[in-house]
Each structure stands twice: as C-alpha cells, then as structure tokens.
C-alpha cells in the first residue's frame, strides 16, 4: 500500500532527485561588486546554496528547467527561469528601497526602529519559515541572513544542525549563538550520551534543542550580530543571538482558524564513486571460508579479488548449500558448513558479477508529514492562540524514524490601564524507535558498505538470522569485520523519548508614557529517556548488550527591566534601561548498562550476565547579573549606544567570581 501511495504522489508536484546538473554563476550589485552570502534557491524545493566572498555560487540539482530565486539582505529578490540548463555568467541585484523606520525586536525583547540600530540585526519573517518548512528550525535560516552559515546534520530528519554567525570565534568552544524565545534564553545544546568511550557503541545524534520548534508557531526570527546587542545577554551571547518571537492572537478582533499541512518525499541524492571492476579478495583470489569471508589472508574486505563480469562462478555467502541433515540452506549459515570431520559442506558456485546499484537499492524512499492547526481569538482586553503541530518521518535508511507532537498556547491580557500580562507555553514530545549511528565504525551502515565487495547482493542479507538460529547468530558476508546492515538497523536500535516544556510569562506596568517596568520569567525543562539495544552475535557485542540513559535538564531565567525614554530637546532623544537577571541551571545525566545479555532477545537491565555498568552526575549553575543600556539619537540621523553588564557565576571561586 505504501509503495502504491508513493507511486501516485510522484505524479504530482513533488520533487525527486534525478541526474545531477551543476550550475555556476556570480551575484553582483549594480556597481559590479560581489554580493557575498547571497541565498540561491531552486524554487519550490529545499535545495539551496550561498555565494562565497567573491559572489560565486555552485548549485547542484537534478532539474534542467526550474526557477532560480536569488536573494540577499538589502537587495530586491530576483527570480530567473532556467530553461534547458542555460544560465548567465552573472546576475545583477538591485538595492532594496526597504523603509528604514521598520520596527525590529532587539536584545531583552526591546523594540527599536531599524534605522536607530548601531549594530547589525537581520529579521526573517514567518512567511519565509513556512513557505517550504524545514524539519529543523535552524535549517530554515539557511540563505536567509547574510553572514550566517548553516551546516545540516548527517543523520537525516531530526539530526542536529550547526549555525555560525560571522565565522568561528573560538578554537575550543561550540561557536554557536544563544537562542532566545520572547526575551528568555533557551537551550539549543544536545547533551550526548557517553557512548564513544564505551568502546562498543558509537555516537548517536538525537537532535539539537531549537529543532523542536514548529515554524508555524513563530512570528519572526531576528539575528543579532553586533557585540552591543549581544552583550546584554552575557558570555553565552559571545557568538551572537537568535531571537525568536512567537505568534500571538489575531491582530483583528474575532475568532480565527488556520491550517497548514505539508508532505515531502526524499530519495538518495549521491553515493561514493564505487569501482565495479574487481570483487572481494586479495591478489586476484577469493574464498568464502568458515563464515569469515577470508579473501586469502586479508579478512575478505579488500577489493583486490577476481575480476568481475569475466564469466567466473565462485562459492559465495548467498550461494546454495545443505546442512548436516540434508536441508537446503545458504552458504553464510555457519552451522550448515561445519561437518563432524572438520570439513565443510560444499557451496554451489554462483556468478561473480558486479552489482552497481547494490548500495543504492538498500535505501528506502523517505516520507515526511508536517501539520499544524491554530485557533486564535482576540477581544477588547486580550488575545489567545492555541495550536497543535506534528511531524511524522520515515527515513531513507530502513527502520529509522522521527515523530514529534507539540501544543503551544499564548495568552495576552490587559489587566488594567497600566498593566499587561503576556504568557507563552509550549509542550513538545519527540521520539524515535531508531536513530542511526554516526562516525567511522561497524555500527554505521555506510561504513560497512565501504568494505562490502561490489559483487555482493546486499538484498540477500535482509533475512538476517541464520537458519535455526533466530536471535542467536546473524547471517552475514563477513563475520570477522562486518555486521549485517539489516541487523544493525532492525535489531541494534537507538531509541529515545523526550518530553520538553518551554514557557515564559511577563508583566509590564507603565508608570507613565515614558517609564515602564517589566518582570519576566522563563522555563526550559525536559526529560530524555534513551535505550540502546545490541543483538547477540553483533560485531564487538558478541553477547549482545542493553543500555538505558536518562537526561534531565532545567533552566530558569528571571529578570526585571526598568525602561525610560524621553527627549532632551527637539534634536536629542534618549532611552535608558537597567535591569537584573538570575539564571539557574540543573543537569542530571545517568546511565546503566548490561554489557552482556544472559539470554538473547531479552532487553532489560536484569538480564545481565556481568555486573552492571553505570554512571550518574549532577551539574548545577547559577549566574546573577546586572545590566544597563543607554541609546542616544540626534535628529534621527546620528545614533550612539552604551551597554554594560556584570555577572557573578557559581562555577567560579568565591571572592573571584565576578566578570563583565
């Protein structure tokens, strides 16, 4: 049924990858000067690139006829129709006539006119976030803001994405900006499981914090690049700030409903350039021996064996054989080839031929659904907005998935002529039955394919248990170095279930037209439960293993801000703000592991044949801060900003914990 659905949907406007075409050109302004970091999109898809410092770009796509959308901050967006793969050697963008009196959100949620800013602030509105929605919010910023570099994760939907603003600033730090929602910082970091040091498990990407936001619940995103704006958030904002402003109730009075639904499919774009001239083996020889797959002395994973497609027939792992009872089995079933006298049952030779698409055919067609429904209402004294969003993904790697559900509620209420209260709360549940492994090692199926001969029928590995040995001994092409990729993805799973609550509440009291006081507090907390299963007979886990990880994170920010603005005379305006903040952060991380299973296929900590391994740690941090800012404007033409902040951190020695 699933394959029929996909076949029908492919008749419509869904984008599929075909033969790759590479397009190169240059983006210039009207003075023939290069425009760096301009966004270049293939319209209607998620395929994009950016120009380099000299204005050049390279775009790879499977299309020969499409619309190229070119945009950059301060310039008019250009749409160019590519016909039969022909594009000019350069494009000219005209300067935008954007109104300078646009109001933008800056540090601490303070709104200012764009022309009054003395540091760089770029804004991305909701339309650009939802036209082609990304499964990771960070990816939505790619190509939208000059000087911002986005690196997509490598483990499919739900993987972490890295954002860097105006280059790397540190050799040791993460270099990523601080994320702030409605004026309150939140966590974008991933607390990873300590797997690499374990020796038997590889790193798994469970996604970064900001990925869990639904673009449909965001009104705008502002990027603070300047030190002046970022300074008000302290050292965590040293690499810039990503300010997220959430959607509120309708601007117009009354009741409203909005529905947004998206469906995308994805296929594999590219693979390494595999050779298809020689098969497994060494010195032109190959022999499948005793389940080791030995290529005459090298373990059977080098591709220096007999020439392919030369009319040869050689006994292979999937060749027909018989067991000691005379039953037909496959050559890779170890019990089928061991006889009482120590000899082996014969494996019928099969054609030694190349299989150019053996790796490509392993991958599935990925499917992603994203839906959002929002209900809003606005009255005389306030507004309400309630939304539900979900994401369902089946990855291109078999048996990998991601599911996400979120409920967001915003309330704005005018309690009196001088007092206004604003609230936002967002509950998000993210889960997966299996996240793929990363890095170099046997748990990454792509690693295994690099050592799988070009004669291998990978599809023959789908039945991954040996005859009569279900749950006890897997079936493979090589038992010394590799693990069956289907066993890796269907039995050696990395699952997680994460519940997160984000929220903030603020109260603003206007003493007069010029003087106001805002008190605001925000919470970011989540509980993340992870499970790692490894089947018996797995490479590096011959007895199997089971592990549970738990991550609990809580961060609370509370601040108070007093603001005053006025005129000195007809020429001079000024705005003063001063405030204080308290940050409390608690992190709990613990794991317990049964490094060897007593009984196969029973994944519990109680089913351990060896003493349990474990670790538990708690990290607490508090930072108290004071800050202030002064803004001066002369005839709305000349502007000056002064900022100050001082922090006292609990992680520094007593008596020497102050810095600013």
């Amino acid at each position: 049924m699933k394959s029929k659905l996909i076949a029908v949907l492919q008749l419509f406007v869904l984008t599929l990858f075909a033969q790759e075409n590479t397009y190169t050109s240059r983006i210039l302004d009207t003075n023939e000067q290069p425009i760096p970091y301009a966004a270049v999109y293939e319209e209607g898809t998620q395929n994009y690139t950016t120009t380099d410092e000299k204005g050049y770009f390279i775009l790879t796509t499977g299309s020969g006829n499409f619309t190229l959308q070119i945009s950059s901050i301060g310039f008019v967006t250009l749409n160019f129709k590519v016909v039969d793969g022909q594009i000019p050697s350069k494009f000219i963008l005209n300067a935008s006539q954007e109104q300078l009196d646009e109001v933008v959100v800056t540090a601490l949620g303070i709104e200012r006119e764009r022309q009054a800013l003395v540091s760089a602030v770029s804004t991305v509105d909701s339309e650009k976030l939802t036209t082609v929605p990304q499964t990771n919010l960070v990816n939505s910023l790619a190509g939208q803001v000059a000087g911002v570099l986005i690196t997509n994760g490598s483990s499919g939907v739900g993987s972490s994405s890295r954002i860097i603003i105006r280059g790397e600033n540190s050799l040791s730090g993460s270099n990523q900006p601080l994320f702030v929602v409605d004026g309150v910082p939140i966590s974008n970091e991933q607390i990873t499981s300590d797997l690499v040091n374990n020796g038997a498990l590889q790193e798994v990407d469970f996604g970064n914090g900001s990925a869990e936001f639904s673009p449909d619940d965001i009104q705008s995103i502002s990027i603070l690049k300047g030190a002046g704006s970022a300074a008000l958030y302290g050292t965590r904002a040293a690499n810039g700030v990503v300010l997220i402003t959430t959607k509120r109730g309708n601007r117009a009075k009354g009741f409203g409903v909005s529905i947004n639904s998206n469906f995308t499919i994805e296929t594999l774009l590219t693979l390494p350039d595999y050779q298809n001239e020689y098969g497994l083996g060494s010195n032109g020889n190959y022999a499948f021996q005793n389940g080791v797959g030995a290529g005459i002395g090298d373990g059977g994973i080098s591709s220096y064996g007999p020439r392919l497609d030369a009319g040869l027939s050689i006994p292979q792992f999937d060749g027909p054989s018989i067991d000691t009872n005379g039953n037909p089995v496959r050559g890779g079933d170890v019990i089928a080839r061991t006889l009482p006298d120590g000899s082996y049952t014969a494996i019928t030779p099969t054609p030694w031929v190349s299989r150019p698409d053996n790796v490509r055919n392993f991958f599935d067609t990925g499917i992603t659904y994203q839906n959002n429904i929002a209900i809003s209402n606005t009255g005389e004294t306030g507004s309400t907005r309630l939304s539900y969003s979900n994401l369902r993904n089946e990855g291109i790697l078999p048996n990998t998935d991601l599911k996400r559900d979120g409920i967001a509620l915003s309330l704005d209420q005018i309690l009196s002529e001088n007092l206004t209260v604003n609230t936002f709360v967002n509950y998000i549940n993210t889960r997966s039955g299996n996240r793929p492994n990363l890095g170099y090692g046997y748990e990454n199926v792509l690693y295994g394919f690099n050592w799988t001969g070009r004669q291998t029928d990978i599809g023959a590995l789908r039945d991954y248990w040996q005859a009569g040995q279900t749950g006890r001994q897997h079936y493979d092409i090589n038992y010394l170095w590799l693990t069956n990729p289907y066993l890796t993805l269907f039995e050696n799973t990395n699952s997680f279930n994460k519940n997160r609550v984000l929220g903030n509440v603020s109260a603003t009291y206007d003493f007069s037209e010029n003087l106001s006081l805002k008190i605001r507090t925000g919470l970011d907390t989540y509980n993340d439960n992870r499970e790692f299963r490894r089947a018996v007979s797995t490479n590096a886990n011959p007895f199997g293993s089971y592990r549970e990880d738990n991550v609990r994170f809580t961060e609370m920010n509370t601040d108070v801000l007093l603001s005053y603005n006025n005129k000195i005379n007809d020429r001079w305006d000024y705005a003063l703000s001063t405030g204080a903040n308290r940050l409390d952060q608690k992190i709990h991380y613990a794991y317990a592991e049964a490094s060897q299973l007593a009984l196969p296929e029973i994944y519990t900590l109680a089913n351990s044949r060896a003493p349990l391994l474990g670790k538990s740690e708690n990290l607490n941090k508090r930072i108290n801060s004071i800050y202030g800012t002064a803004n001066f404007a002369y005839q709305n033409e000349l502007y000056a900003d002064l900022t100050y902040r001082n922090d006292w951190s609990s992680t520094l020695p007593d008596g020497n914990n102050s810095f600013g």
Side-chain angles (χ1 to χ4, degrees), residues 104-112 232 520 561 563 577 629 631:
V104 297
V105 178
T106 63
L108 304 177
I110 300 172
E111 294 185 350
R112 299 185 62 191
L232 292 176
R520 175 173 47 202
L561 181 67
S563 301
S577 298
T629 178
N631 316 114

Side-chain angles (χ1 to χ4, degrees), residues 41-69:
Y41 272 91
E42 179 185 354
E43 191 173 74
T45 74
Q46 298 183 23
N47 188 28
Y48 71 91
T49 186
T50 57
T51 58
D52 60 20
E53 294 181 352
K54 296 183 179 180
Y56 289 99
F57 73 85
I58 300 175
L59 181 72
T60 301
T61 176
S63 303
N65 298 281
F66 59 96
T67 298
L68 202 63
Q69 184 182 89

Side-chain angles (χ1 to χ4, degrees), residues 621-638:
K621 179 170 66 174
R622 169 175 289 178
I623 298 178
N624 294 319
S625 311
I626 59 171
Y627 46 76
T629 178
N631 316 114
F632 299 93
Y634 178 74
Q635 292 187 336
N636 291 327
E637 294 180 353
L638 298 177

